[in-house]
Amino acid sequence: MRRDDRAPKPDAPVYEGAERLQKVLAAAGVGSRRACEDLIFRRRVTVNGRVAQLGDKADPTRDVIHVDGERLQVDTRLVYLAMNKPRGVVSTMADEKGRAALSDFLGNRVEQRVYHVGRLDADSEGLLLLTNDGTLTHRLMHPSYGVPKTYLCEVAGPIPRNLGKRLAAGVELEDGPVRVDSFKVVDTLGKTAQVEVTLHEGRKHIVRRLLAEVGHPVSRLVRTSIGPIRLGDLRAGRTRRLTNAEVAALFKAVGD
């Protein structure tokens, strides 16, 4: 290897808190330092849009790093959690009325102060994301990014065959029209049915209001996914840290 290959380009910004790039990658869980050096050598790593070279440095609190085109979260101060919010819990970190809130389920497991991404009303349950990444939170909540959310709902039946088409075409509510991205009947249970609804709207109680408007009020609502993140078998009241791949998928979902 020539000496020139190990030297950073003159236009590569180096900050006071910068460290060897392979060390930053290894700390983020990409692999051993030797494996990370190989990724850099094979031109599979970019820093702020620039193909990295061996010898480059990066500041994990400032630089944007991609590996194979997927953004890597290297700032260890940032936390990304998935939570299965139980029914009866309010979507606030603390409640002035003394009701069960999200922080009651975190205990001392998370040192950093995190915030919830969006809300679920107290009677609803399922997936919430908790993070201290303000930029990602803003993008996930902003309607222009169109991040889809999926809900499993127990509703009054029976379900007419054309309901999916009607919901996809759009239903007028008091605060404007809404249309679903997808709809399907999962199961029928006597006079009730389980339906799955996916939409990228974020208005208050939008799923409950939508289904009530078409004559199928919701008796139970569970959010099962937010973009690429799925609730899976996470138990009610439990949290888990998102994997590097899941965080990268979230960034990709909002166009980063």
Side-chain angles (χ1 to χ4, degrees):
M1 184 183 301
R2 298 195 310 269
R3 186 180 183 86
D4 293 344
D5 292 332
R6 296 193 300 270
K9 290 182 179 180
D11 60 350
V14 178
Y15 306 116
E16 184 176 347
E19 299 177 298
R20 288 277 183 173
L21 182 55
Q22 60 267 34
K23 181 180 178 181
V24 174
L25 295 176
V30 175
S32 66
R33 290 195 190 184
R34 184 177 296 276
C36 293
E37 288 176 353
D38 187 62
L39 289 174
I40 298 169
F41 177 76
R42 296 177 183 277
R43 302 175 61 85
R44 294 168 59 183
V45 182
T46 64
V47 179
N48 301 325
R50 168 186 167 275
V51 177
Q53 293 185 352
L54 290 172
D56 282 357
K57 292 186 177 183
D59 183 345
T61 67
R62 301 178 63 169
D63 290 320
V64 176
I65 300 174
H66 288 74
V67 178
D68 292 335
E70 292 191 348
R71 180 165 175 171
L72 180 68
Q73 185 47 255
V74 294
D75 189 345
T76 57
R77 301 172 305 173
L78 297 179
V79 178
Y80 304 88
L81 302 172
M83 177 182 183
N84 186 347
K85 186 190 87 66
R87 191 169 187 170
V89 176
V90 294
S91 289
T92 57
M93 298 311 297
D95 183 64
E96 59 184 13
K97 297 180 180 179
R99 295 172 294 181
L102 303 178
S103 59
D104 297 332
F105 297 87
L106 295 179
N108 298 321
R109 295 190 300 275
V110 181
E111 296 181 0
Q112 297 89 337
R113 187 175 183 180
V114 296
Y115 303 90
H116 51 93
V117 180
R119 292 177 179 269
L120 283 172
D121 62 73
D123 290 331
S124 299
E125 53 198 294
L127 182 62
L128 271 177
L129 299 181
L130 305 174
T131 183
N132 56 355
D133 188 332
T135 300
L136 181 61
T137 297
H138 170 75
R139 294 186 180 185
L140 288 171
M141 295 178 63
H142 200 284
S144 65
Y145 290 95
V147 177
K149 304 172 185 65
T150 300
Y151 303 83
L152 183 64
C153 306
E154 188 173 287
V155 302
I159 305 298
R161 290 186 176 181
N162 68 340
L163 182 58
K165 291 183 178 180
R166 182 181 177 188
L167 295 175
V171 175
E172 190 69 34
L173 301 179
E174 67 272 14
D175 55 351
V178 59
R179 58 178 54 87
V180 304
D181 298 333
S182 67
F183 172 87
K184 70 177 181 180
V185 177
V186 177
D187 198 4
T188 55
L189 307 166
K191 294 183 179 181
T192 64
Q194 286 187 347
V195 299
E196 184 180 85
V197 180
T198 300
L199 72 171
H200 54 268
E201 286 271 5
R203 284 178 277 171
K204 189 175 182 179
H205 305 311
I206 189 66
V207 177
R208 292 183 181 273
R209 292 192 290 127
L210 171 64
L211 293 174
E213 181 68 23
V214 295
H216 300 279
V218 176
S219 57
R220 185 184 181 192
L221 183 148
V222 181
R223 183 156 63 196
T224 57
S225 70
I226 300 174
I229 309 303
R230 298 187 179 278
L231 181 64
D233 58 1
L234 187 64
R235 293 167 54 188
R238 302 296 295 271
T239 60
R240 68 172 180 84
R241 290 183 180 267
L242 299 187
T243 65
N244 287 338
E246 287 176 317
V247 175
L250 278 177
F251 279 112
K252 188 174 182 179
V254 295
D256 194 343

